[in-house]
């Protein structure tokens, strides 16, 4: 296996003809296997049209249909919904601590304690699906946030402190037993990312982890070969940092392919190869600057000239992240519970019990986008019909379509 960051989509799509133009040789045979490689509006995930589809096992589709999705905003001590996404970085540690306190309640009387008890009862009443799955996965955006949440839960819920873990980066520099012992004393409840598949054997009940660390390659199973976690809580929106140069380069790599396929793109009006190359370079620089100036979800605007539709891009990309995350809880064809906790998922409904729209809510935008996909596209229907149906019936959330959202906004 080799890794090279931002090598470019064109290279990936043409790797099979690596030496063909040079000496006529056939390049490597390439097989790409990932359902989320087909998300038309996502610059992060979408690769292109597949040559075929391997349909999921019927048990997986049935498990999603039996799963529960719920919008579950938490309230702070003033009775206000806790909104983490969109707050300044310097305030986020305090916000995550408030979130953890609200979820724990009075010594475990809050939603986390209730969820663990419900999962335990389900394990007794429906053991084929739920036995030995009374574990909760808390997803955040960074390793620091995972540590903040886990530490606060341990402080608030003293009886559970030995069963609360947080994921940490792999410590490749630790090479001796003494170093390992020292590290374990330094960070109570820390679990290396490489050891995540062993979580069911730790005796832990709650794991806080960055959503980006929950890749498709992990099978986190219990002793029965089923998904170890019964519930997942999305504590915040996986919103990209505006100054993440790696993410911007990835977006432009993908967008360049859209420009190539559009014969009417403005850059191709230039004189000769040099003129067109210079025009593309200027437009790419302009695109880069526009991405760096993005801020809140509501402020995202389309740019028809550059073929940029950031709101659809974010909705499709976040849908892919959610699909990959809940995939960890589907192993063995079992259902799960999924909760969207940050009030930013549905700000209008969380604050005033007013319906959100795809213009105000990323959660509403995801649901609307997936519904459009499965209605318009046979490939998307095969891949996303079950999760689109489940999200349409999400509990605790009310949303509607604003006529303006039927435009490319």
């Amino acid at each position: 296996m080799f890794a090279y960051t931002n090598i470019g989509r064109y290279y990936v799509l043409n790797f099979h003809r690596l030496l063909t133009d040079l000496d006529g040789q056939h390049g490597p045979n390439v097989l790409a296997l990932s359902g989320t490689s087909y998300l038309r509006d996502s610059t992060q995930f979408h690769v292109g049209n597949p040559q075929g589809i391997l349909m999921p096992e019927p048990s997986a589709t049935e498990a999603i249909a039996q799963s529960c999705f719920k919008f579950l905003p938490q309230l702070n001590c003033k009775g206000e919904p806790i909104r983490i996404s969109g707050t300044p970085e310097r305030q986020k540690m305090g916000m995550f601590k408030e979130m953890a306190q609200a979820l724990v309640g009075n010594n475990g009387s809050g939603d986390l304690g209730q969820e663990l008890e419900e999962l335990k009862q389900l394990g007794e009443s429906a053991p084929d699906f739920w036995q030995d799955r009374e574990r909760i996965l808390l997803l955040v955006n960074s390793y620091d946030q995972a540590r903040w949440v886990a530490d606060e839960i341990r402080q608030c819920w003293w009886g559970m402190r030995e069963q609360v873990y947080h994921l940490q980066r792999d410590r490749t520099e630790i090479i001796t037993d003494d170093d390992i012992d020292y590290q374990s004393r330094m960070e109570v409840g820390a679990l290396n990312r490489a050891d995540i598949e062993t979580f069911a054997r730790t005796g832990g009940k709650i794991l806080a982890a960055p959503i980006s660390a929950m890749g498709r390659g992990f099978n986190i199973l219990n002793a029965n070969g089923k998904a170890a976690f019964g519930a997942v809580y999305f504590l915040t929106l996986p919103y990209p940092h505006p100054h993440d140069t790696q993410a911007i380069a990835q977006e432009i790599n993908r967008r360049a392919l859209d420009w190539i396929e559009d014969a009417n793109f403005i850059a191709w009006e230039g004189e000769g190869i040099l003129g067109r190359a210079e025009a593309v370079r200027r437009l790419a620089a302009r695109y880069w600057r526009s991405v760096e100036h993005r801020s809140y979800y509501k402020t995202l605007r389309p740019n028809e000239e550059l073929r940029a539709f950031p709101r659809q891009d974010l909705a499709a990309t976040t849908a892919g992240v959610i699909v990959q995350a809940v995939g960890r809880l589907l192993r063995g064809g079992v259902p799960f519970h999924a909760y969207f906790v940050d009030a930013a998922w549905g700000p209008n409904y969380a604050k005033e019990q007013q319906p959100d729209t795809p213009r105000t809510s990323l959660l509403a935008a995801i649901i609307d986008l997936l519904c459009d996909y499965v209605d318009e596209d046979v490939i998307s229907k095969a891949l996303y019909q079950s999760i689109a149906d489940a999200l349409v019936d999400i509990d605790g959330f009310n949303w509607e379509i604003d006529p303006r959202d039927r435009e490319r906004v």
Side-chain angles (χ1 to χ4, degrees), residues 146-394:
R147 189 180 69 255
W148 299 340
V149 169
D151 284 346
E152 191 63 26
I153 293 174
R154 295 184 195 107
Q155 289 295 322
C156 299
W157 200 354
W158 194 244
M160 279 284 291
R161 66 189 183 279
E162 300 294 334
Q163 294 172 288
V164 178
Y165 286 75
H166 64 274
L167 204 65
Q168 69 176 6
R169 293 180 182 85
D170 294 332
R171 308 294 189 178
T172 55
E173 73 277 11
I174 298 175
I175 57 175
T176 70
D177 290 341
D178 289 341
D179 288 334
I180 294 171
D181 291 341
Y182 175 74
Q183 183 65 34
S184 64
R185 291 196 303 271
M186 290 294 290
E187 286 200 32
V188 175
L191 181 73
N192 285 342
R193 183 173 183 265
D195 298 327
I196 193 171
E197 293 187 346
T198 68
F199 183 72
R201 301 200 293 272
T202 66
K205 296 295 183 183
I206 297 174
L207 174 65
I211 195 168
S212 60
M214 305 303 295
R216 286 176 282 106
F218 290 120
N219 290 311
I220 311 168
L221 308 177
N222 61 17
N224 303 320
K226 309 287 187 182
F229 292 103
V232 57
Y233 287 64
F234 296 94
L235 297 192
T236 185
L237 279 66
Y239 198 85
H241 194 283
H243 302 295
D244 183 348
T245 56
Q246 184 169 305
I248 300 174
Q250 186 178 47
E251 179 173 339
I252 293 180
N253 281 339
R254 164 64 208 285
R255 197 61 71 203
L257 296 181
D258 296 335
W259 296 346
I260 290 171
E261 293 172 1
D262 184 357
N264 297 318
F265 184 57
I266 187 173
W268 311 144
E269 298 172 2
E271 285 290 333
I273 294 176
L274 178 60
R276 295 174 183 179
E278 289 176 338
V280 168
R281 189 176 182 86
R282 286 194 301 270
L283 290 168
R286 199 169 113 208
Y287 194 108
W288 188 289
R289 288 192 296 272
S290 72
V291 176
E292 288 187 320
H293 285 93
R294 289 176 188 167
S295 55
Y296 303 113
Y297 175 74
K298 282 186 178 181
T299 67
L300 298 180
R301 295 289 182 268
N303 188 320
E304 293 278 355
E305 186 180 49
L306 297 179
R307 309 295 187 264
F309 302 96
R311 199 173 290 178
Q312 277 78 12
D313 184 356
L314 181 60
T317 298
T318 308
V321 170
I322 291 170
V323 168
Q324 290 193 1
V326 300
R328 303 316 99 215
L329 286 83
L330 270 175
R331 290 295 183 262
V334 291
F336 57 86
H337 297 162
Y339 301 100
F340 299 91
V341 184
D342 191 345
W345 285 108
N348 288 356
Y349 196 70
K351 188 174 183 179
E352 301 173 356
Q353 296 294 292
Q354 296 296 317
D356 272 291
T357 73
R359 189 177 290 269
T360 64
S361 160
L362 180 57
L363 181 56
I366 291 168
I367 299 170
D368 186 45
L369 183 90
L370 288 176
C371 288
D372 282 348
Y373 278 3
V374 301
D375 286 344
E376 300 170 359
D377 184 343
V378 65
I379 301 172
S380 295
K381 186 177 183 67
L383 294 171
Y384 304 121
Q385 181 74 66
S386 56
I387 195 165
D389 291 344
L391 283 170
V392 163
D393 295 327
I394 186 171

Side-chain angles (χ1 to χ4, degrees), residues 117-127 130-132:
E117 182 60 30
E118 181 179 355
L119 292 173
K120 182 178 180 181
Q121 292 177 6
L122 284 170
E124 295 170 355
S125 61
W130 294 100
Q131 188 178 59
D132 189 27

